[in-house]
Amino acid sequence: MRLHNYTLLYISIALFFIIGVWASIFYIQMLDEIYDSIDDTLGNNKALIIKKSKTDTTILYKSDFEESNYSIKKIDAASAKKMKDVYVDTLMYMANEDDMEIVRLLKTVFTINHVDYYELNVISSMVEEDDLMEDLFYSLFWLYGILLVSIFTVNTLVLRKVWKPFYSLIQQLEHFNITKSAFVAPQTKVHEFKLLNKSIESLLKKNSELYISQKQFIENASHELQTPLAISINKLELLSEKNDLTEADMILLTAAIENLQRLTRLNKSLLLLSKIENKQYADETTVAVSSICKRLSEDFEDLAEFKNIQISFEKQADLNIQINADLAEILCSNIIKNAIVHTDNGGFVTISVKQHSILIENSGDKALDSEKVFQRFYKNATKKNNTGLGLAIVKSIADKYGFELRYSFMDKHRIEIIFSK
Amino acid sequence: MKILVIEDELSMQEIIKETLEKESYIIESATTFDSAIDKIVSYDYDCILLDIMLPGGSGLDILSELKKLDKASNVIIISAKNSIEDKVMGLNLGADDYLIKPFHIAELTARVKSILRRKSLNGKNEVEIKNVKINFDDRTVAINNEEVIFNRKEYDILAYFISNKDRLVNKAALAEHVWGDYMDQANDFEFIYSQIKNLRKKLKDHNADIEIQAVYGIGYKLHVL
């Protein structure tokens, strides 16, 4: 639900009750005022009729209302003593409407010379309450509707203007990339948005700094590790050249060297990753990916043959892309090597170069998690010796150039790099 | 043959020294920028191994200095930085080769020998071990004066072993040298065996006086019969 619909919902609910309560109070007060005013008129009429009866005694015999608004009836003194003035609503036949209608009636007594007592009924037409209520209801209904429409319109216009910096902020955040973009807070006069901008700016700044320092740390650590690694491997190599070592010694040495080499590989991969992310491979040329893949498929033949893997290369089109030449080499070799390394003995690897993509397929028995396959250190538990960075490097190169990577499984693993649409 | 090692890391320096002394070269060393400049001004070396990052200055400045002195030949840059700019700049400044740490000592030996061979007086880039003669320029091998055809990988392996005669070459070093950098992640270097097998067979069929011996699980060694 959008923010302004949300406010509108609450405003409409609140208005409904406010107008309802207000209407009831208004109605009661208005009715009260009407009765008050009618009763005053009746009182006044009463006084006028009594006054008139002093001079015109004929009216004393007017026992029906007929065309006028009063009737007079002679009563005995005893019952007259008991009576008081009463104002009541009563039903009366109205000739024009041919129906019974509510009228206001004043029942009172008066006397002439304290001898004759008369009962006087004065009537006055009343507002029809149901009509009044209906009118009021319709008016309020329209008021409610118009209010809502105006609030909606004003809200929409105002909110659109007021929240503009907010939406532009959201849009910026959506496209924010810690490795690339700098964050520029949208201009605003609203205090809350200024605050929001400020907090986001400082948050992003902190994050960027953290990201950079972490990246720097990885790079520095990798650099610093290189020399001791080199020294260790070389010392062990020198040791292994000594002729007085036994086979058992040699086996120990070999294991030590192998593990150091593994560490070196890991280190190199991490360095490579941070270099790619640091944009240290800037210069681009047109690279014939198809010929790189063809050459690589031949270079890897020995490895494939050793694992008894059928490796085949199929060129459906010449594929030339604009890329850094070293990265093109790394991209292709990593993806092909990954396929060979992860194919079980006796399987197959197929490399197909198409018009806009490379497709690498290799045999395998179950699908990998396509979400995680390109993540760092996502590895198959059974392959203990690989760095787990090969496809992460592929991904980081693909990200750098905006290539799309797809993993799918259809009786075999399929990894596709789509260079352009 | 006199070689100068300019390297501030003492352990690294020792390793290079020990490796190259096995090949009977005379090794001198410098650990700082200034001492390196002193040495190159005062003496002539057949080969200089140069670290880029030195206390007191950059190895690239030493290269410029060498160029000024007209001695900028036979320099191998040894750097922990696998940076293309440094490599290009180093080679432009007259260095002959660029070796990235960590490297295998077999690789170091091969590179140094290759440079020294190119400089050798007779101008023939050739090595002869008993009845086997290898020409590094033409990439040809003759056994008993008869040319034997090797495929690219067999030739590269043989050349590498010849540069590292009588020394243990571990499988990783061989794989990286012959199959290329990206092979270093192949995880298992057993795959090189089939090429070694072919090479051995050819050497044996042509009665070569050298053979390639396996050394336990670690690697191979060129043995002169």
Side-chain angles (χ1 to χ4, degrees):
Chain A
M1 197 180 234
R2 292 186 67 120
L3 181 77
H4 80 271
N5 293 338
Y6 207 73
T7 34
L8 196 70
L9 178 75
Y10 280 103
I11 287 178
S12 60
I13 294 170
L15 267 184
F16 185 79
F17 287 105
I18 291 169
I19 289 182
V21 170
W22 176 83
S24 321
I25 295 170
F26 174 75
Y27 181 75
I28 291 164
Q29 281 211 323
M30 195 171 67
L31 220 53
D32 194 51
E33 195 55 41
I34 289 169
Y35 276 114
D36 208 37
S37 148
I38 290 173
D39 292 354
D40 280 354
T41 314
L42 288 175
N44 185 44
N45 280 353
K46 169 191 146 187
L48 287 174
I49 292 164
I50 294 171
K51 200 176 160 194
K52 195 179 174 189
S53 69
K54 302 267 162 69
T55 52
D56 179 5
T57 51
T58 59
I59 63 166
L60 290 174
Y61 306 100
K62 192 179 177 307
S63 59
D64 276 319
F65 290 102
E66 290 172 345
E67 85 290 346
S68 71
N69 64 342
Y70 65 94
S71 68
I72 297 171
K73 194 167 68 182
K74 197 169 182 216
I75 51 170
D76 54 53
S79 51
K81 290 266 157 77
K82 278 189 253 161
M83 278 183 72
K84 280 182 179 170
D85 284 8
V86 270
Y87 294 92
V88 286
D89 291 342
T90 183
L91 284 170
M92 219 177 140
Y93 176 78
M94 292 274 165
N96 66 331
E97 306 235 348
D98 186 25
D99 198 8
M100 303 294 278
E101 292 284 334
I102 294 173
V103 290
R104 190 71 171 163
L105 171 75
L106 166 61
K107 207 185 264 275
T108 185
V109 272
F110 67 95
T111 176
I112 295 176
N113 304 325
H114 295 286
V115 180
D116 298 316
Y117 289 87
Y118 299 93
E119 180 194 304
L120 171 65
N121 286 318
V122 191
I123 55 161
S124 171
S125 69
M126 259 295 290
V127 279
E128 292 170 47
E129 262 185 68
D130 51 347
D131 286 354
L132 183 71
M133 233 149 102
E134 202 181 304
D135 281 354
L136 191 67
F137 175 77
Y138 278 118
S139 305
L140 289 180
F141 178 78
W142 283 113
L143 176 72
Y144 183 67
I146 291 167
L147 264 179
L148 284 191
V149 171
S150 344
I151 290 173
F152 177 81
T153 319
V154 172
N155 216 15
T156 311
L157 291 178
V158 170
L159 282 184
R160 191 174 292 163
K161 196 172 148 46
V162 168
W163 288 86
K164 209 173 173 178
F166 178 78
Y167 287 114
S168 98
L169 180 73
I170 300 245
Q171 207 179 12
Q172 273 218 46
L173 286 181
E174 242 169 36
H175 296 113
F176 182 76
N177 183 337
I178 202 155
T179 58
K180 291 182 194 138
S181 34
F183 176 76
V184 186
Q187 286 289 315
T188 175
K189 286 178 193 148
V190 183
H191 173 70
E192 282 79 0
F193 290 154
K194 274 188 190 164
L195 247 148
L196 182 68
N197 283 347
K198 230 171 112 187
S199 335
I200 287 176
E201 252 171 346
S202 77
L203 182 73
L204 290 182
K205 196 167 162 248
K206 258 184 248 161
N207 267 302
S208 295
E209 281 166 6
L210 200 68
Y211 174 76
I212 289 167
S213 77
Q214 204 153 45
K215 216 164 61 173
Q216 217 112 55
F217 173 77
I218 294 176
E219 200 176 334
N220 290 344
S222 305
H223 262 305
E224 294 304 318
L225 277 171
Q226 255 171 335
T227 305
L229 272 172
I231 292 168
S232 312
I233 292 176
N234 292 158
K235 290 259 181 196
L236 290 176
E237 280 180 337
L238 283 173
L239 181 62
S240 67
E241 284 193 337
K242 290 206 157 54
N243 289 325
D244 50 2
L245 292 175
T246 65
E247 184 172 356
D249 292 340
M250 275 302 218
I251 289 166
L252 282 176
L253 260 180
T254 309
I257 291 176
E258 271 173 9
N259 278 290
L260 283 170
Q261 271 162 355
R262 207 173 129 196
L263 196 56
T264 309
R265 288 199 293 272
L266 186 67
N267 202 38
K268 270 192 195 166
S269 301
L270 283 174
L271 252 179
L272 180 63
L273 270 172
S274 55
K275 274 188 189 168
I276 294 169
E277 281 163 14
N278 286 344
K279 307 190 183 74
Q280 286 180 16
Y281 292 91
D283 49 323
E284 291 176 16
T285 49
T286 304
V287 174
V289 175
S290 38
S291 35
I292 291 183
C293 286
K294 184 171 193 310
R295 177 170 50 73
L296 286 171
S297 69
E298 285 158 10
D299 285 351
F300 280 112
E301 234 158 43
D302 287 316
L303 177 59
E305 201 180 306
F306 174 73
K307 291 187 79 179
N308 195 18
I309 291 169
Q310 193 70 37
I311 182 166
S312 49
F313 173 79
E314 187 196 351
K315 186 169 103 174
Q316 294 172 6
D318 273 317
L319 178 58
N320 294 301
I321 54 170
Q322 199 68 21
I323 190 175
N324 177 283
D326 291 317
L327 289 187
E329 185 88 22
I330 293 166
L331 179 77
C332 298
S333 66
N334 268 288
I335 203 148
I336 295 173
K337 185 168 58 196
N338 176 75
I340 296 174
V341 169
H342 289 98
T343 302
D344 288 332
N345 289 7
F348 63 85
V349 172
T350 316
I351 305 153
S352 325
V353 177
K354 302 177 180 179
Q355 187 117 41
H356 298 296
S357 63
I358 317 176
L359 175 66
I360 314 284
E361 293 169 306
N362 68 302
S363 52
D365 42 13
K366 65 174 195 291
L368 301 167
D369 186 342
S370 60
E371 295 283 311
K372 290 187 184 152
V373 95
F374 297 106
Q375 281 177 7
R376 293 177 185 192
F377 300 115
Y378 171 75
K379 33 183 166 172
N380 194 334
T382 56
K383 301 283 193 299
K384 61 179 197 321
N385 211 15
N386 61 319
T387 59
L389 288 173
L391 287 185
I393 290 171
V394 169
K395 179 157 179 16
S396 114
I397 297 173
D399 285 350
K400 180 183 158 75
Y401 290 102
F403 304 151
E404 192 190 338
L405 283 178
R406 273 191 209 155
Y407 169 82
S408 57
F409 185 84
M410 274 181 271
D411 300 324
K412 57 194 170 190
H413 301 290
R414 294 160 55 93
I415 291 181
E416 196 169 10
I417 311 175
I418 300 153
F419 297 102
S420 65
K421 296 264 153 60
Chain B
M1 291 280 190
K2 218 160 73 170
I3 297 173
L4 176 64
V5 181
I6 306 171
E7 162 72 64
D8 62 314
E9 191 78 44
L10 283 176
S11 302
M12 204 69 224
Q13 205 185 75
E14 270 170 40
I15 288 163
I16 297 172
K17 219 171 151 183
E18 195 178 334
T19 304
L20 296 179
E21 271 170 354
K22 284 189 182 170
E23 303 294 331
S24 312
Y25 299 127
I26 296 153
I27 313 294
E28 286 192 19
S29 50
T31 45
T32 62
F33 183 82
D34 295 332
S35 60
I37 293 283
D38 282 351
K39 291 228 158 148
I40 57 166
V41 172
S42 319
Y43 308 101
D44 284 326
Y45 295 95
D46 297 296
C47 178
I48 295 171
L49 300 174
L50 175 62
D51 188 7
I52 294 274
M53 281 184 282
L54 288 171
S58 162
L60 292 174
D61 293 333
I62 293 183
L63 261 181
S64 313
E65 192 64 30
L66 278 166
K67 206 172 182 180
K68 253 188 265 165
L69 295 168
D70 211 14
K71 290 178 177 178
S73 56
N74 303 335
V75 177
I76 301 176
I77 293 173
I78 302 171
S79 172
K81 254 165 111 185
N82 186 5
S83 134
I84 296 156
E85 293 85 55
D86 276 5
K87 196 170 180 171
V88 170
M89 203 187 285
L91 296 179
N92 281 345
L93 282 170
D96 295 82
D97 211 343
Y98 192 96
L99 194 56
I100 296 150
K101 286 187 219 170
F103 49 77
H104 296 283
I105 55 175
E107 191 63 37
L108 175 71
T109 313
R111 303 270 187 120
V112 170
K113 279 200 179 163
S114 156
I115 289 223
L116 291 176
R117 266 199 316 267
R118 267 185 258 157
K119 207 206 168 186
S120 64
L121 286 173
N122 59 19
K124 269 185 173 175
N125 198 351
E126 269 185 358
V127 169
E128 211 174 331
I129 300 174
K130 286 208 149 170
N131 63 354
V132 180
K133 201 195 294 179
I134 182 163
N135 186 312
F136 293 95
D137 288 334
D138 308 340
R139 297 173 64 85
T140 53
V141 181
I143 302 174
N144 287 322
N145 290 320
E146 192 187 322
E147 191 173 331
V148 180
I149 305 298
F150 290 96
N151 71 28
R152 181 182 75 78
K153 283 170 189 158
E154 289 163 357
Y155 169 84
D156 284 343
I157 295 168
L158 183 62
Y160 201 55
F161 277 123
I162 284 174
S163 290
N164 283 286
K165 189 182 77 165
D166 281 327
R167 297 187 67 167
L168 174 65
V169 173
N170 75 35
K171 282 184 278 190
L174 188 62
E176 269 173 51
H177 179 83
V178 178
W179 278 267
D181 252 359
Y182 39 79
M183 269 308 167
D184 65 354
Q185 288 188 19
N187 313 320
D188 191 345
F189 298 107
E190 294 305 325
F191 70 88
I192 65 177
Y193 179 69
S194 70
Q195 296 288 357
I196 301 250
K197 201 171 69 185
N198 294 342
L199 177 60
R200 275 177 171 166
K201 189 168 179 298
K202 280 190 189 170
L203 290 175
K204 199 173 174 199
D205 288 351
H206 291 85
N207 298 316
D209 289 334
I210 53 172
E211 67 171 14
I212 291 163
Q213 293 177 332
V215 181
Y216 308 127
I218 195 165
Y220 301 92
K221 189 188 258 187
L222 183 91
H223 181 66
V224 182
L225 295 172

